[in-house]
Amino acid sequence: MVHRSKITTLTEFIIQRQSEYPHAKGALTRLLNDIATAAKIVNREINAAGLVDILGTIGKENIQGETQKKLDVFANEMFITALKGGGECCAIASEENEKVVSFSNEFSELGKYVVAMDPLDGSSNIEANVSIGTIFSIYRRVTEAGGGTQQDLLQPGVNLAAAGYIIYGSSTMLVYSTGKGVNGFTLDPSVGIFCLSHPDMRFPEPANIYSINEGNYIHFPEGVKQYIKYCQENDPETFRPYTSRYIGSLVADFHRNLIKGGIFLYPGTTKNPNGKLRLLYECNPIAYIAEQAGGKASNGFKRILNIDPETLHQRSPFYTGPKWMVDKVEELLQQNSE
Ligand code: AHG
Ligand code: MN
Ligand code: MN
């Protein structure tokens, strides 16, 4: 007889976990469920994209000056609808919206949480059938009442109540943390349920992957150039030379590094000193997951989660992975800035 262990669904898991927070009233549980529901719908659209000709741009540019893809817009609307209807969230900040979207209808007004999100990450990869994702950050609101405001969203990552991402890959996974480790759930598409598949995720040791867009090499700071050289040197004792892997979707690159062991780097450059990635809804949530998985996330000089955000869409250089790998980049960056 084949022995099967019991399947734990995402819903069961978050309800079980709620009991670890004695004062919890289930609002965060419901909010995470709302995100999971929207993710399933986005997943369905992504899978059907080639069939229904939803691919391609709609011609409008988002506030970063990038052309929006149809699926970016769809995913954004889907998450906003789910969060607004769920009633636990009083405002969101999204890559696709210049300003905070504040919910103030009779249901959502009482929401205690705000969400910052990148509804579709890696969207330039969609037509190549490469993995893409959704990234989310959840904070407790700091204002007292009414619709949430920018003040609720401009909080440092250390204040996060939860964060996570969904990866739409060869399978679809939801990975999240509420500050007690990281757990991953794989979507069973036949029944539409996320099942616990990766309990207590940690960066593995040893790790030997580095992920960076080396095409920008000439514009990198000296410390990063030296780190790339370091990765390529021959030293079997430290598992070098490392392997280079770069997809161009933050979620997919980070997820692979979390599973297989590696560092992700998106440095500032001479042209863009703060790099490309956005602090609120790309760096912070991924940094939170990285730390909860035993790793580290830095802008090269400072812990990402300690940065006080000033604007919704601000960018930051980003280095994340196993602690000792990030320590090495920091060392080289700091040496070269003196
Ligand atoms: P988005 O699709 O949300 O705009 O994000 C794209 C980001 C991120 O996913 C990835 O790490 C990075 O862009 C890749 O940038 P380069 O093409 O400059 O390497
Ligand atoms: Mn992104
Ligand atoms: Mn995006």
Side-chain angles (χ1 to χ4, degrees):
M1 198 176 88
V2 181
H3 177 76
R4 289 183 197 278
S5 55
K6 185 191 172 305
I7 293 169
T8 304
T9 67
L10 173 66
T11 312
E12 284 170 342
F13 183 87
I14 48 187
I15 290 169
Q16 278 167 20
R17 281 291 165 105
Q18 196 187 313
S19 62
E20 292 176 17
Y21 300 84
H23 303 296
K25 295 200 177 72
L28 187 58
T29 302
R30 288 189 291 275
L31 181 55
L32 286 164
N33 264 322
D34 295 339
I35 290 174
T37 304
K40 285 183 220 173
I41 297 168
V42 170
N43 179 61
R44 185 192 65 200
E45 288 307 303
I46 289 169
N47 286 336
L51 299 171
V52 295
D53 193 31
I54 197 171
L55 284 172
T57 63
I58 56 167
K60 271 200 277 179
E61 286 193 345
N62 69 15
I63 51 116
Q64 328 283 346
E66 296 151 349
T67 311
Q68 283 184 336
K69 302 279 168 181
K70 280 182 187 172
L71 276 171
D72 292 76
V73 177
F74 178 83
N76 194 39
E77 284 170 1
M78 214 53 250
F79 282 101
I80 291 177
T81 305
L83 292 168
K84 186 175 183 187
E88 309 301 342
C89 171
C90 62
I92 65 135
S94 163
E95 182 187 19
E96 306 302 335
N97 298 96
E98 182 181 356
K99 297 207 169 94
V100 166
V101 181
S102 178
F103 304 148
S104 53
N105 66 30
E106 69 271 34
F107 304 113
S108 318
E109 209 159 29
L110 300 172
K112 291 192 169 42
Y113 292 95
V114 293
V115 175
M117 65 174 183
D118 179 353
L120 213 59
D121 172 68
S123 50
S124 66
N125 278 324
I126 295 172
E127 53 266 70
N129 237 332
V130 168
S131 299
I132 49 181
T134 294
I135 317 176
F136 60 91
S137 274
I138 303 176
Y139 293 94
R140 280 173 206 89
R141 68 182 303 174
V142 290
T143 54
E144 296 287 315
T149 68
Q150 178 157 304
Q151 197 192 337
D152 295 307
L153 282 143
L154 293 182
Q155 299 191 52
V158 281
N159 291 357
L160 279 165
Y165 60 82
I166 296 115
I167 176 164
Y168 311 99
S170 44
S171 62
T172 296
M173 274 188 74
L174 187 148
V175 174
Y176 84 99
S177 175
T178 53
K180 292 188 175 172
V182 179
N183 291 282
F185 300 80
T186 301
L187 182 66
D188 179 338
S190 62
V191 284
I193 293 174
F194 281 105
C195 302
L196 180 63
S197 52
H198 295 63
D200 199 17
M201 297 172 85
R202 312 277 300 170
F203 282 103
E205 298 283 346
N208 71 340
I209 300 172
Y210 73 106
S211 306
I212 186 168
N213 185 345
E214 265 183 86
N216 295 328
Y217 185 89
I218 194 77
H219 303 296
F220 287 155
E222 183 54 31
V224 171
K225 288 181 178 167
Q226 287 183 12
Y227 184 72
I228 292 172
K229 262 266 120 357
Y230 169 86
C231 293
Q232 296 169 348
E233 279 162 12
N234 190 38
D235 180 26
E237 261 187 28
T238 54
F239 311 101
R240 288 180 292 153
Y242 295 161
T243 292
S244 167
R245 289 281 183 277
Y246 190 73
I247 296 167
S249 294
L250 170 63
V251 169
D253 280 303
F254 176 79
H255 184 71
R256 187 206 42 236
N257 288 344
L258 176 57
I259 302 274
K260 290 181 171 282
I263 181 169
F264 175 89
L265 308 94
Y266 207 109
T269 60
T270 36
K271 270 197 305 201
N272 301 307
N274 289 321
K276 176 180 185 188
L277 299 178
R278 275 60 59 109
L279 177 65
L280 247 59
Y281 42 82
E282 291 182 314
C283 304
N284 266 340
I286 297 292
Y288 185 78
I289 296 289
E291 288 195 6
Q292 287 293 320
K296 179 168 175 172
S298 164
N299 69 358
F301 298 86
K302 189 172 177 177
R303 181 184 176 206
I304 288 288
L305 298 183
N306 282 342
I307 299 174
D308 268 318
E310 284 167 12
T311 60
L312 289 180
H313 300 286
Q314 82 185 57
R315 300 171 194 260
S316 172
F318 193 44
Y319 307 95
T320 187
K323 192 173 171 311
W324 55 274
M325 288 178 123
V326 179
D327 284 344
K328 183 72 191 173
V329 191
E330 277 187 332
E331 179 194 315
L332 293 171
L333 275 163
Q334 290 169 21
Q335 262 172 27
N336 282 282
S337 77
E338 281 159 9

